[in-house]
């Protein structure tokens, strides 16, 4: 089995990717800012699955720390066979109300870190003529909803191209586009979940399972569940003004 490097691995989809890949027998490199949570997960997976797990604590919005992870991905002596770019954050307010430094950090994490790690991985994987990359995007990529949607749309567009271009060299690239998933993501950004209909929520286990299968099948884009596949289809035919969504009112 190969080694998988997963960013944002301390919780949510990242931790679920780690569990499912460990169950398949893959070694792991777990990347996130919270070393303590990574160590707990690593201990669990070593004990339960008997796989090798390396912990690499890093903030991918910090250039020096990102460079350390890029170096690990590119290391020919310890090849990474599967890269999962999962690390991500959300911003609660409209673009004009978010501090610019938050918007820049948001862009660095979703676009610059993903691009840098893909660049390192593709260089190493094409040399071996094998490898897999999953870039976690969002169904928001299909909706005009501010800088988050724009960043995720970049991931989808890049992954489509990379899958077509590099599969001839043995590398499969997939953009995973879930909708609402039961994780800590929304709580961390301060977003209430009570106004989101229950039928829109997906379990992390399902999202990861479908993403891994679609990647193995060579699909450029994976959209878990029929309901979100329908959203993607409707986004191409509905008037854009209906997709923008309401402007958030400032909280008093």
């Amino acid at each position: 089995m190969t080694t998988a490097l997963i960013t944002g691995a301390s919780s949510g989809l990242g931790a679920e990717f780690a569990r499912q890949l460990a169950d398949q027998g893959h070694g792991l490199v777990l990347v996130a800012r919270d070393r303590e949570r990574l160590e707990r997960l690593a201990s669990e997976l070593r004990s339960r699955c008997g796989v090798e797990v390396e912990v690499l604590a890093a903030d991918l919005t910090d250039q020096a720390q990102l460079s350390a992870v890029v170096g690990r991905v590119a290391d020919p002596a310890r090849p990474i066979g599967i890269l999962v770019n999962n690390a991500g954050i959300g911003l609660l307010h409209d673009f004009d109300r978010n501090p610019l430094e938050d918007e820049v950090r948001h862009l660095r994490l979703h676009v610059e870190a993903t691009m840098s790690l893909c660049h390192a991985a593709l260089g190493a994987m094409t040399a071996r003529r094998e490898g897999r990359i999953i870039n976690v995007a969002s169904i928001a990529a299909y909706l005009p909803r501010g800088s988050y949607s724009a960043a995720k749309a970049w991931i989808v567009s890049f992954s489509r191209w990379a899958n077509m271009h590099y599969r001839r060299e043995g590398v499969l690239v997939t953009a995973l586009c879930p909708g609402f998933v039961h994780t800590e993501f929304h709580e961390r950004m301060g977003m209430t979940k009570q106004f989101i209909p229950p039928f829109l929520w997906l379990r992390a286990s399902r999202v990861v399972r479908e993403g891994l299968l679609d990647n193995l099948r060579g699909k450029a884009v994976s959209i878990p569940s029929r309901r979100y596949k329908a959203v993607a289809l409707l986004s191409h035919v509905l008037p854009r003004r209906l997709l923008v969504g309401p402007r958030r009112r400032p909280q008093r």
Side-chain angles (χ1 to χ4, degrees), residues 89-108:
I89 55 174
L91 298 175
L92 182 61
H93 303 295
D94 282 327
F95 176 77
D96 61 291
R97 294 186 56 228
N98 290 320
L100 180 58
E101 56 267 29
D102 289 351
E103 288 284 351
V104 170
R105 179 171 176 268
H106 170 271
L107 192 66
R108 283 176 179 162

Side-chain angles (χ1 to χ4, degrees), residues 88-94 98 106 110 145 148 180 183-193 196 201 248 251:
I89 55 174
L91 298 175
L92 182 61
H93 303 295
D94 282 327
N98 290 320
H106 170 271
H110 289 124
R145 299 287 178 91
Y148 182 80
F180 294 108
T183 66
E184 300 174 7
F185 180 84
H186 299 91
E187 287 88 344
R188 286 183 172 182
M189 66 181 285
M191 176 182 172
T192 180
K193 299 167 68 173
I196 302 169
W201 290 97
R248 300 187 185 99
Q251 296 179 349

Side-chain angles (χ1 to χ4, degrees), residues 13 16-17 20 176 204-213:
L13 289 176
E16 184 62 28
F17 268 109
Q20 292 195 26
L176 176 59
S205 56
R206 175 182 181 175
V207 171
V208 169
R209 183 173 61 253
E210 291 192 23
L212 289 171
L213 283 172

Side-chain angles (χ1 to χ4, degrees), residues 152-166:
K152 294 302 187 180
W154 182 91
I155 292 174
V156 172
S157 180
F158 175 80
S159 299
R160 285 184 188 276
W161 166 80
N163 189 58
M164 181 172 57
H165 188 77
Y166 290 104

Side-chain angles (χ1 to χ4, degrees), residues 138-153:
S138 169
I139 196 65
Y142 292 86
L143 306 171
R145 299 287 178 91
S147 58
Y148 182 80
S149 290
K152 294 302 187 180

Side-chain angles (χ1 to χ4, degrees), residues 44-55:
E44 170 201 329
L45 298 177
R46 292 184 191 112
S47 176
R48 180 166 63 84
C49 303
V51 297
E52 293 187 9
V53 185
E54 177 185 344
V55 166

